[in-house]
Amino acid sequence: MLKVGMVLCPDFTMMSFVALAAFEVANKRSGETLYDLHVLSESGGPLRSSLGTEVTTEALADNEFDTVLVGVGMEVPSTTTPAVVRYLQQAAKSTRRLASICLGAFVLGDAGLLDGRRATTHWRYAQRLQERFPKCRIDMDKIFIADGQIWTSAGMSAAADLAVAMIENDHGADLARTVAGGLVMHHRRAGGQSQHSALLDIDAKSDRIQTALTYAKRNLRMPLEIEDLAREACLSPRQFTRVFRSETGTSPAKAVELLRLEAAKLMLEQSRLPIEGIAREAGFSNRERMRRAFIRTYGEAPQSIRINAGPLATI
């Protein structure tokens, strides 16, 4: 049984508990207590959340944990109390994993635990994290990053992706998939996936258009003609094109290209498939067509994005 502690700071956001929920689901789905969960704060007792509700916590002590998570509020912590800094510095000597949820990365940074490491946080505050902790290399475009014993995640829902990755690391892919299903996660996101989503950027409003986009995302290797998407939306091609542009402000062809670019970029960063194979998997007719789309959208060729991603991470 692995002991997991969640260190909360005053006015913490309730989304911090998304990570603990993943471990709780792992316990339930496995039929045994794989994780012993504890909620901690500096002084213990009731702790006020950003919603005004209170949560009962245990005081920080010398208890050894396998994993320690840090949850804060929706604003960047201006400072971290000396007691919390000391606790995290001591925990780093014996704890297998220390992790931050969203802006909790600032707390790990105050404890000196980000120095010399890669880290991430909510994209909106990534530059502030870099400025405050210049010895850390911040990557604002990752869902979560595991650099040695230090794990950091992007905002809000990324805590679930981080926790599911930890569960996979501890107990294998089968349980991780089961937990993701229990959390009703649309899909498990790899840590290297961008914090930005093409589906979110396209912002379809009706179920019909969302259904067509989901179909496209799942079938990127297919030609995906207007007729195919319109059929999924139960509209005529002419109606579909008109409604699609009205809802999203772009054409179906451009939206499909964005989905293909997103899928290809993830494969470039998270696999060692040949670029020609990635172009085929993402639905581009050839490598050169994919290269032109990358330069047009990202200002970089696929090979440059692969090089900048660095070596594949292991967790």
Side-chain angles (χ1 to χ4, degrees), residues 171-184:
H171 299 290
D174 288 345
L175 181 59
R177 282 191 292 269
T178 299
V179 171
L183 294 172
V184 198

Side-chain angles (χ1 to χ4, degrees), residues 116-127:
R117 297 185 183 273
R118 295 170 60 240
T120 192
T121 189
H122 191 292
W123 61 268
R124 190 181 299 277
Y125 301 99
Q127 185 59 39

Side-chain angles (χ1 to χ4, degrees), residues 52-63:
T53 55
E54 292 186 340
V55 171
T56 300
T57 64
E58 305 170 30
L60 298 180
D62 294 331
N63 297 331

Side-chain angles (χ1 to χ4, degrees), residues 4 6 21 27 34 54 85 146 166 172 213 218 281-282 305:
V4 177
M6 169 76 78
N27 286 344
L34 300 176
E54 292 186 340
V85 166
M166 287 181 169
L213 285 168
R218 291 174 178 171
E281 289 295 321
I305 288 177

